[in-house]
Amino acid sequence: MKDFRLHLIVLILIVVAEKIGNISITVGVGKIVLLPMMYALLMGVATAPRFTKISSEKNVRTASSLLGVTLMLLMARYGTLVGPSLPKILAASPALILQEFGNLGTIIIGVPLAVFVGLKREAIGAAHSVAREPNVALIGERFGLDGAEGRGVMGVYICGTVIGTIFFGLMASLAAAYLPFHPYALAMAAGVGSASMMTAAVGSLSAMFPQMADQIAAFGAASNMLSGLDGLYMSIWMALPFAEWLYRKSYRMKYGVDPEPPVVRNLEEGKEGEAK
Amino acid sequence: MKMSETLGVLLICGFLSLVANVVGTKNGFVEAIPGMLFLIALAFLGIWLGKVIPGGIPGVAYVVTIGCILTVPGVPCAAAISAAVSKVGFMQLCTPILAYAGVAICKDLDVFAESSWRIVVVSCVVFVGTYIGSAIIAQLILKAIGQI
């Protein structure tokens, strides 16, 4: 916390980022919105010890230890966005709950693709969900993070951390511009990933539909909270078994033989071995 | 992290967000202070409750829930709180967080560079698939229940 060099770097980054402001780029009939938070992220990366060396290894460690707390201010603000819209959110709650099934779309495309490009059991970890913290914890508990499934889920997790925010922001503006979705539906879908992915997507949408900005943010935040609750159970009961099944089917299609059976981590095994 | 440190981080981050707020929105520095102080107090209270209340519910759940309850129309002070926090733009709250995140990501960059192109391709498909899949369902159901 007393790393004033880090705070000074961040202060400069945000002033520059906010000075630049939103940039709308017209692409065909739609537009992509670039947000100050995206420049702040990219400039933050650029200060890395391995690039411009503006921030030191120590700054990097402090920044990563502070992240959890800094997110709380945003979460407080989200709470106050959800409150005033609560009647509207309750009215829309069936959509908020059921859209978790959208995750199954991931598996239908993701698992066969992963097998097709040559991943083995990594496919199950990688494509069973959008791979945020709860999913990583789940895979870690079931298969161990050092196993193939663990490598898969960690790979997508790291990708999400590095490119997820910008990816979600751009994806939301493209979807709003080119696909026939209502902004509310896109706002709800924004909640599937981490809080920063949701914020980037919600930010892009509110820049495109300023008159609905508060509702969009409220739906995104509500969906993000709900995903945190029901998403994990969806993964355990539906997504993982389905991914496993589809993996066997895809594997047989590509290689013509059945895949090797999964190595489920069994904590009791080691103990038995010692007893003998 | 000690609670005093947590409060320190919240104050620093709050200050940075106020700066972003002045540069990025039409709101003045002083008029956004009451809203920001409320958010800092709320975040601190939530983190503290998460620590002292048994049951392992994370602090973020308290932060969001209390923030939500205090601003539901009809609750005493709801209008005043909403008015105060409306001076704090939520996008400007994100800018400092993502600046910190950017600096922090450097830790993961090596792992990211090592991970094969296959995982990157699968990741992008996973993000698109989940997002569009959820949007389709949300759209259909919102239409069906007449919300849009």
Side-chain angles (χ1 to χ4, degrees), chain B residues 23-76:
Chain B
V23 183
T25 69
K26 294 187 195 78
N27 302 323
F29 192 88
V30 178
E31 62 173 332
I33 288 179
M36 181 56 81
L37 285 178
F38 171 78
L39 294 177
I40 292 174
L42 176 57
F44 187 75
L45 175 72
I47 296 173
W48 179 73
L49 287 176
K51 279 194 174 170
V52 294
I53 294 185
I57 302 170
V60 59
Y62 294 107
V63 173
V64 176
T65 313
I66 297 172
C68 177
I69 292 171
L70 288 180
T71 49
V72 173
V75 172

CSV table of all heavy atoms in Angstrom, one decimal, chain B residues 23-76:
chain,number,residue,atom,x,y,z
B,23,VAL,N,-11.5,14.5,-14.7
B,23,VAL,CA,-11.0,14.6,-16.1
B,23,VAL,C,-12.0,14.0,-17.1
B,23,VAL,O,-12.2,14.6,-18.2
B,23,VAL,CB,-9.6,13.8,-16.2
B,23,VAL,CG1,-9.1,13.9,-17.6
B,23,VAL,CG2,-8.6,14.3,-15.2
B,24,GLY,N,-12.6,12.9,-16.7
B,24,GLY,CA,-13.5,12.2,-17.7
B,24,GLY,C,-14.9,12.6,-17.8
B,24,GLY,O,-15.6,12.2,-18.7
B,25,THR,N,-15.5,13.2,-16.8
B,25,THR,CA,-16.9,13.6,-16.8
B,25,THR,C,-17.0,15.1,-16.5
B,25,THR,O,-16.1,15.8,-16.2
B,25,THR,CB,-17.7,12.8,-15.7
B,25,THR,OG1,-17.3,13.3,-14.4
B,25,THR,CG2,-17.5,11.3,-15.8
B,26,LYS,N,-18.3,15.6,-16.5
B,26,LYS,CA,-18.5,17.0,-16.3
B,26,LYS,C,-18.6,17.2,-14.8
B,26,LYS,O,-18.8,18.4,-14.3
B,26,LYS,CB,-19.8,17.4,-16.9
B,26,LYS,CG,-19.7,17.4,-18.5
B,26,LYS,CD,-21.0,18.0,-19.1
B,26,LYS,CE,-21.1,17.6,-20.6
B,26,LYS,NZ,-21.6,16.3,-20.8
B,27,ASN,N,-18.6,16.2,-13.9
B,27,ASN,CA,-18.7,16.4,-12.5
B,27,ASN,C,-17.5,17.0,-11.9
B,27,ASN,O,-16.4,16.7,-12.3
B,27,ASN,CB,-19.0,15.0,-11.8
B,27,ASN,CG,-20.2,14.4,-12.4
B,27,ASN,OD1,-21.2,15.0,-12.7
B,27,ASN,ND2,-20.2,13.0,-12.5
B,28,GLY,N,-17.7,17.9,-10.9
B,28,GLY,CA,-16.6,18.5,-10.2
B,28,GLY,C,-16.0,17.6,-9.2
B,28,GLY,O,-16.6,16.6,-8.8
B,29,PHE,N,-14.8,18.0,-8.7
B,29,PHE,CA,-14.1,17.1,-7.7
B,29,PHE,C,-14.9,17.1,-6.4
B,29,PHE,O,-15.2,16.1,-5.8
B,29,PHE,CB,-12.7,17.7,-7.4
B,29,PHE,CG,-11.8,16.8,-6.7
B,29,PHE,CD1,-11.1,15.8,-7.3
B,29,PHE,CD2,-11.7,16.9,-5.3
B,29,PHE,CE1,-10.3,14.9,-6.6
B,29,PHE,CE2,-10.9,16.0,-4.5
B,29,PHE,CZ,-10.2,15.1,-5.2
B,30,VAL,N,-15.3,18.3,-5.9
B,30,VAL,CA,-15.9,18.5,-4.6
B,30,VAL,C,-17.3,17.8,-4.6
B,30,VAL,O,-17.7,17.2,-3.6
B,30,VAL,CB,-16.0,20.0,-4.2
B,30,VAL,CG1,-16.7,20.1,-2.8
B,30,VAL,CG2,-14.5,20.5,-4.1
B,31,GLU,N,-18.1,18.0,-5.6
B,31,GLU,CA,-19.4,17.5,-5.6
B,31,GLU,C,-19.5,16.0,-5.6
B,31,GLU,O,-20.5,15.4,-5.2
B,31,GLU,CB,-20.3,18.1,-6.8
B,31,GLU,CG,-19.8,17.7,-8.1
B,31,GLU,CD,-20.7,18.2,-9.3
B,31,GLU,OE1,-21.9,18.3,-9.0
B,31,GLU,OE2,-20.2,18.4,-10.4
B,32,ALA,N,-18.4,15.4,-6.0
B,32,ALA,CA,-18.4,13.9,-6.1
B,32,ALA,C,-17.9,13.3,-4.8
B,32,ALA,O,-18.0,12.1,-4.6
B,32,ALA,CB,-17.5,13.4,-7.2
B,33,ILE,N,-17.4,14.1,-3.9
B,33,ILE,CA,-16.8,13.6,-2.6
B,33,ILE,C,-17.8,12.9,-1.7
B,33,ILE,O,-17.5,11.8,-1.3
B,33,ILE,CB,-16.0,14.7,-1.9
B,33,ILE,CG1,-14.8,15.1,-2.6
B,33,ILE,CG2,-15.7,14.3,-0.4
B,33,ILE,CD1,-14.0,16.2,-2.0
B,34,PRO,N,-19.0,13.4,-1.5
B,34,PRO,CA,-19.9,12.7,-0.6
B,34,PRO,C,-20.2,11.3,-1.1
B,34,PRO,O,-20.2,10.3,-0.4
B,34,PRO,CB,-21.2,13.6,-0.6
B,34,PRO,CG,-20.7,14.9,-1.0
B,34,PRO,CD,-19.5,14.7,-1.9
B,35,GLY,N,-20.5,11.2,-2.4
B,35,GLY,CA,-20.8,9.9,-3.0
B,35,GLY,C,-19.6,8.9,-2.9
B,35,GLY,O,-19.8,7.7,-2.5
B,36,MET,N,-18.4,9.4,-3.1
B,36,MET,CA,-17.2,8.6,-3.0
B,36,MET,C,-17.0,8.1,-1.6
B,36,MET,O,-16.7,7.0,-1.3
B,36,MET,CB,-16.0,9.4,-3.5
B,36,MET,CG,-14.7,8.6,-3.5
B,36,MET,SD,-14.8,7.0,-4.4
B,36,MET,CE,-14.6,7.6,-6.1
B,37,LEU,N,-17.2,9.0,-0.6
B,37,LEU,CA,-17.1,8.7,0.8
B,37,LEU,C,-18.0,7.6,1.1
B,37,LEU,O,-17.7,6.6,1.9
B,37,LEU,CB,-17.3,9.9,1.7
B,37,LEU,CG,-16.1,10.8,1.7
B,37,LEU,CD1,-16.4,12.0,2.6
B,37,LEU,CD2,-14.8,10.2,2.2
B,38,PHE,N,-19.3,7.7,0.6
B,38,PHE,CA,-20.3,6.6,0.9
B,38,PHE,C,-19.8,5.3,0.3
B,38,PHE,O,-19.8,4.3,1.0
B,38,PHE,CB,-21.6,7.0,0.2
B,38,PHE,CG,-22.6,5.9,0.3
B,38,PHE,CD1,-23.3,5.6,1.4
B,38,PHE,CD2,-22.8,5.1,-0.9
B,38,PHE,CE1,-24.2,4.6,1.5
B,38,PHE,CE2,-23.7,4.1,-0.8
B,38,PHE,CZ,-24.4,3.8,0.3
B,39,LEU,N,-19.3,5.3,-0.9
B,39,LEU,CA,-18.8,4.1,-1.5
B,39,LEU,C,-17.6,3.5,-0.8
B,39,LEU,O,-17.6,2.2,-0.6
B,39,LEU,CB,-18.4,4.3,-3.0
B,39,LEU,CG,-19.5,4.7,-4.0
B,39,LEU,CD1,-18.9,5.0,-5.3
B,39,LEU,CD2,-20.5,3.6,-4.1
B,40,ILE,N,-16.7,4.3,-0.3
B,40,ILE,CA,-15.6,3.8,0.5
B,40,ILE,C,-16.1,3.2,1.8
B,40,ILE,O,-15.7,2.1,2.1
B,40,ILE,CB,-14.6,5.0,0.8
B,40,ILE,CG1,-13.9,5.4,-0.5
B,40,ILE,CG2,-13.5,4.5,1.8
B,40,ILE,CD1,-13.0,6.6,-0.4
B,41,ALA,N,-17.0,3.9,2.5
B,41,ALA,CA,-17.5,3.3,3.7
B,41,ALA,C,-18.3,2.0,3.5
B,41,ALA,O,-18.1,1.0,4.2
B,41,ALA,CB,-18.5,4.4,4.3
B,42,LEU,N,-19.0,2.0,2.4
B,42,LEU,CA,-19.8,0.7,2.1
B,42,LEU,C,-18.8,-0.4,1.8
B,42,LEU,O,-19.0,-1.5,2.3
B,42,LEU,CB,-20.7,1.0,0.8
B,42,LEU,CG,-21.5,-0.1,0.3
B,42,LEU,CD1,-22.4,-0.7,1.3
B,42,LEU,CD2,-22.3,0.4,-0.9
B,43,ALA,N,-17.8,-0.2,1.0
B,43,ALA,CA,-16.8,-1.2,0.6
B,43,ALA,C,-16.1,-1.7,1.9
B,43,ALA,O,-15.9,-2.9,2.1
B,43,ALA,CB,-15.8,-0.7,-0.4
B,44,PHE,N,-15.7,-0.7,2.8
B,44,PHE,CA,-15.0,-1.1,4.0
B,44,PHE,C,-15.9,-1.9,4.9
B,44,PHE,O,-15.5,-3.0,5.4
B,44,PHE,CB,-14.6,0.2,4.7
B,44,PHE,CG,-13.7,-0.1,5.9
B,44,PHE,CD1,-12.4,-0.5,5.7
B,44,PHE,CD2,-14.2,0.0,7.2
B,44,PHE,CE1,-11.6,-0.8,6.8
B,44,PHE,CE2,-13.4,-0.3,8.3
B,44,PHE,CZ,-12.1,-0.6,8.1
B,45,LEU,N,-17.2,-1.5,5.1
B,45,LEU,CA,-18.1,-2.2,5.9
B,45,LEU,C,-18.3,-3.7,5.4
B,45,LEU,O,-18.3,-4.6,6.1
B,45,LEU,CB,-19.5,-1.5,5.9
B,45,LEU,CG,-20.6,-2.2,6.6
B,45,LEU,CD1,-20.4,-2.1,8.1
B,45,LEU,CD2,-22.0,-1.5,6.2
B,46,GLY,N,-18.5,-3.8,4.0
B,46,GLY,CA,-18.7,-5.1,3.5
B,46,GLY,C,-17.5,-6.0,3.7
B,46,GLY,O,-17.7,-7.2,4.1
B,47,ILE,N,-16.3,-5.5,3.5
B,47,ILE,CA,-15.1,-6.3,3.7
B,47,ILE,C,-15.0,-6.8,5.1
B,47,ILE,O,-14.7,-7.9,5.4
B,47,ILE,CB,-13.8,-5.5,3.3
B,47,ILE,CG1,-13.9,-5.2,1.8
B,47,ILE,CG2,-12.6,-6.4,3.6
B,47,ILE,CD1,-12.8,-4.3,1.3
B,48,TRP,N,-15.3,-5.8,6.0
B,48,TRP,CA,-15.3,-6.1,7.5
B,48,TRP,C,-16.3,-7.2,7.8
B,48,TRP,O,-16.0,-8.2,8.5
B,48,TRP,CB,-15.5,-4.8,8.3
B,48,TRP,CG,-15.5,-5.0,9.8
B,48,TRP,CD1,-14.4,-5.3,10.5
B,48,TRP,CD2,-16.6,-5.0,10.6
B,48,TRP,NE1,-14.8,-5.4,11.8
B,48,TRP,CE2,-16.1,-5.3,11.9
B,48,TRP,CE3,-18.0,-4.9,10.5
B,48,TRP,CZ2,-17.0,-5.3,13.0
B,48,TRP,CZ3,-18.8,-4.9,11.6
B,48,TRP,CH2,-18.3,-5.2,12.8
B,49,LEU,N,-17.5,-7.1,7.3
B,49,LEU,CA,-18.6,-8.0,7.6
B,49,LEU,C,-18.2,-9.4,7.1
B,49,LEU,O,-18.4,-10.4,7.8
B,49,LEU,CB,-19.9,-7.6,7.0
B,49,LEU,CG,-20.6,-6.5,7.6
B,49,LEU,CD1,-21.9,-6.1,6.8
B,49,LEU,CD2,-21.0,-6.8,9.1
B,50,GLY,N,-17.6,-9.4,5.9
B,50,GLY,CA,-17.1,-10.7,5.3
B,50,GLY,C,-16.1,-11.4,6.2
B,50,GLY,O,-16.0,-12.6,6.3
B,51,LYS,N,-15.4,-10.6,7.0
B,51,LYS,CA,-14.4,-11.2,7.9
B,51,LYS,C,-15.0,-11.7,9.2
B,51,LYS,O,-14.6,-12.7,9.7
B,51,LYS,CB,-13.2,-10.1,8.2
B,51,LYS,CG,-12.2,-10.1,7.1
B,51,LYS,CD,-11.0,-9.3,7.6
B,51,LYS,CE,-9.9,-9.4,6.5
B,51,LYS,NZ,-8.8,-8.5,6.7
B,52,VAL,N,-15.9,-10.9,9.8
B,52,VAL,CA,-16.4,-11.2,11.1
B,52,VAL,C,-17.6,-12.1,11.1
B,52,VAL,O,-17.8,-12.8,12.1
B,52,VAL,CB,-16.7,-9.9,11.9
B,52,VAL,CG1,-15.4,-9.2,12.2
B,52,VAL,CG2,-17.7,-9.1,11.3
B,53,ILE,N,-18.4,-12.1,10.1
B,53,ILE,CA,-19.6,-13.0,10.1
B,53,ILE,C,-19.2,-14.4,9.6
B,53,ILE,O,-18.6,-14.5,8.6
B,53,ILE,CB,-20.7,-12.4,9.2
B,53,ILE,CG1,-21.2,-11.1,9.7
B,53,ILE,CG2,-21.9,-13.4,9.1
B,53,ILE,CD1,-22.3,-10.5,9.0
B,54,PRO,N,-19.5,-15.4,10.5
B,54,PRO,CA,-19.1,-16.7,10.1
B,54,PRO,C,-20.0,-17.2,8.9
B,54,PRO,O,-21.1,-16.6,8.6
B,54,PRO,CB,-19.4,-17.5,11.3
B,54,PRO,CG,-20.4,-16.7,12.1
B,54,PRO,CD,-20.2,-15.3,11.8
B,55,GLY,N,-19.5,-18.2,8.2
B,55,GLY,CA,-20.3,-18.8,7.1
B,55,GLY,C,-19.5,-18.7,5.8
B,55,GLY,O,-20.0,-19.2,4.8
B,56,GLY,N,-18.4,-18.0,5.8
B,56,GLY,CA,-17.6,-17.9,4.6
B,56,GLY,C,-18.1,-17.2,3.4
B,56,GLY,O,-17.7,-17.4,2.3
B,57,ILE,N,-19.1,-16.3,3.7
B,57,ILE,CA,-19.6,-15.5,2.6
B,57,ILE,C,-18.6,-14.4,2.3
B,57,ILE,O,-18.3,-13.6,3.2
B,57,ILE,CB,-21.0,-14.9,2.9
B,57,ILE,CG1,-22.0,-16.0,3.2
B,57,ILE,CG2,-21.5,-14.0,1.8
B,57,ILE,CD1,-23.3,-15.5,3.8
B,58,PRO,N,-18.2,-14.2,1.1
B,58,PRO,CA,-17.1,-13.2,0.8
B,58,PRO,C,-17.7,-11.8,1.0
B,58,PRO,O,-18.9,-11.5,0.8
B,58,PRO,CB,-16.8,-13.5,-0.7
B,58,PRO,CG,-17.9,-14.2,-1.3
B,58,PRO,CD,-18.5,-15.0,-0.1
B,59,GLY,N,-16.8,-10.9,1.3
B,59,GLY,CA,-17.2,-9.5,1.6
B,59,GLY,C,-17.9,-8.8,0.4
B,59,GLY,O,-18.8,-8.0,0.6
B,60,VAL,N,-17.5,-9.2,-0.8
B,60,VAL,CA,-18.1,-8.6,-2.0
B,60,VAL,C,-19.6,-8.8,-2.0
B,60,VAL,O,-20.4,-7.9,-2.4
B,60,VAL,CB,-17.5,-9.1,-3.3
B,60,VAL,CG1,-17.6,-10.6,-3.5
B,60,VAL,CG2,-18.1,-8.4,-4.5
B,61,ALA,N,-20.1,-9.9,-1.5
B,61,ALA,CA,-21.5,-10.2,-1.4
B,61,ALA,C,-22.2,-9.1,-0.5
B,61,ALA,O,-23.3,-8.6,-0.9
B,61,ALA,CB,-21.8,-11.6,-0.9
B,62,TYR,N,-21.6,-8.8,0.6
B,62,TYR,CA,-22.2,-7.8,1.5
B,62,TYR,C,-22.2,-6.5,0.9
B,62,TYR,O,-23.1,-5.7,1.0
B,62,TYR,CB,-21.4,-7.8,2.9
B,62,TYR,CG,-21.6,-9.1,3.7
B,62,TYR,CD1,-20.5,-10.0,3.8
B,62,TYR,CD2,-22.8,-9.4,4.3
B,62,TYR,CE1,-20.6,-11.2,4.5
B,62,TYR,CE2,-22.9,-10.6,5.0
B,62,TYR,CZ,-21.8,-11.4,5.1
B,62,TYR,OH,-22.0,-12.6,5.8
B,63,VAL,N,-21.0,-6.1,0.2
B,63,VAL,CA,-20.9,-4.8,-0.4
B,63,VAL,C,-22.1,-4.6,-1.4
B,63,VAL,O,-22.8,-3.6,-1.3
B,63,VAL,CB,-19.6,-4.7,-1.1
B,63,VAL,CG1,-19.5,-3.4,-1.9
B,63,VAL,CG2,-18.4,-4.8,-0.1
B,64,VAL,N,-22.2,-5.5,-2.3
B,64,VAL,CA,-23.3,-5.4,-3.3
B,64,VAL,C,-24.7,-5.4,-2.7
B,64,VAL,O,-25.5,-4.5,-3.0
B,64,VAL,CB,-23.1,-6.5,-4.4
B,64,VAL,CG1,-24.3,-6.4,-5.4
B,64,VAL,CG2,-21.8,-6.4,-5.1
B,65,THR,N,-24.9,-6.3,-1.8
B,65,THR,CA,-26.3,-6.5,-1.2
B,65,THR,C,-26.7,-5.2,-0.4
B,65,THR,O,-27.8,-4.7,-0.6
B,65,THR,CB,-26.3,-7.7,-0.3
B,65,THR,OG1,-25.7,-8.8,-1.0
B,65,THR,CG2,-27.8,-8.0,0.1
B,66,ILE,N,-25.8,-4.7,0.4
B,66,ILE,CA,-26.1,-3.5,1.2
B,66,ILE,C,-26.3,-2.3,0.3
B,66,ILE,O,-27.2,-1.6,0.5
B,66,ILE,CB,-25.0,-3.3,2.3
B,66,ILE,CG1,-24.9,-4.4,3.3
B,66,ILE,CG2,-25.3,-2.0,3.0
B,66,ILE,CD1,-23.8,-4.4,4.2
B,67,GLY,N,-25.4,-2.2,-0.7
B,67,GLY,CA,-25.5,-1.1,-1.6
B,67,GLY,C,-26.8,-1.1,-2.3
B,67,GLY,O,-27.5,-0.1,-2.6
B,68,CYS,N,-27.3,-2.3,-2.7
B,68,CYS,CA,-28.5,-2.5,-3.4
B,68,CYS,C,-29.7,-2.1,-2.5
B,68,CYS,O,-30.6,-1.3,-2.9
B,68,CYS,CB,-28.6,-3.9,-3.8
B,68,CYS,SG,-30.1,-4.4,-4.6
B,69,ILE,N,-29.7,-2.7,-1.3
B,69,ILE,CA,-30.8,-2.4,-0.4
B,69,ILE,C,-31.0,-0.9,0.0
B,69,ILE,O,-32.1,-0.4,0.0
B,69,ILE,CB,-30.7,-3.2,1.0
B,69,ILE,CG1,-30.8,-4.7,0.7
B,69,ILE,CG2,-31.7,-2.8,2.0
B,69,ILE,CD1,-30.4,-5.6,1.8
B,70,LEU,N,-29.8,-0.2,0.2
B,70,LEU,CA,-29.9,1.2,0.6
B,70,LEU,C,-30.4,2.1,-0.5
B,70,LEU,O,-30.8,3.2,-0.3
B,70,LEU,CB,-28.5,1.6,1.0
B,70,LEU,CG,-28.0,1.1,2.4
B,70,LEU,CD1,-26.6,1.6,2.7
B,70,LEU,CD2,-29.0,1.5,3.5
B,71,THR,N,-30.4,1.6,-1.8
B,71,THR,CA,-30.8,2.5,-2.8
B,71,THR,C,-32.1,2.0,-3.5
B,71,THR,O,-32.5,2.6,-4.5
B,71,THR,CB,-29.7,2.5,-3.9
B,71,THR,OG1,-29.3,1.2,-4.3
B,71,THR,CG2,-28.6,3.4,-3.4
B,72,VAL,N,-32.8,1.0,-3.0
B,72,VAL,CA,-34.1,0.6,-3.5
B,72,VAL,C,-35.1,1.7,-3.3
B,72,VAL,O,-35.1,2.3,-2.2
B,72,VAL,CB,-34.6,-0.7,-2.8
B,72,VAL,CG1,-36.0,-1.0,-3.3
B,72,VAL,CG2,-33.7,-1.9,-3.1
B,73,PRO,N,-35.8,2.1,-4.3
B,73,PRO,CA,-36.8,3.3,-4.1
B,73,PRO,C,-37.7,3.0,-3.0
B,73,PRO,O,-38.2,1.9,-2.8
B,73,PRO,CB,-37.5,3.3,-5.5
B,73,PRO,CG,-36.7,2.6,-6.4
B,73,PRO,CD,-35.9,1.6,-5.7
B,74,GLY,N,-37.9,4.0,-2.1
B,74,GLY,CA,-38.8,3.9,-1.0
B,74,GLY,C,-38.0,3.7,0.3
B,74,GLY,O,-38.5,4.0,1.4
B,75,VAL,N,-36.8,3.2,0.3
B,75,VAL,CA,-36.0,3.1,1.5
B,75,VAL,C,-35.6,4.5,1.9
B,75,VAL,O,-35.2,5.3,1.1
B,75,VAL,CB,-34.8,2.2,1.3
B,75,VAL,CG1,-33.8,2.2,2.4
B,75,VAL,CG2,-35.2,0.8,0.9
B,76,PRO,N,-35.6,4.8,3.2
B,76,PRO,CA,-35.2,6.1,3.7
B,76,PRO,C,-33.8,6.4,3.2
B,76,PRO,O,-32.9,5.5,3.2
B,76,PRO,CB,-35.2,6.0,5.2
B,76,PRO,CG,-36.1,4.9,5.5
B,76,PRO,CD,-36.1,4.0,4.4
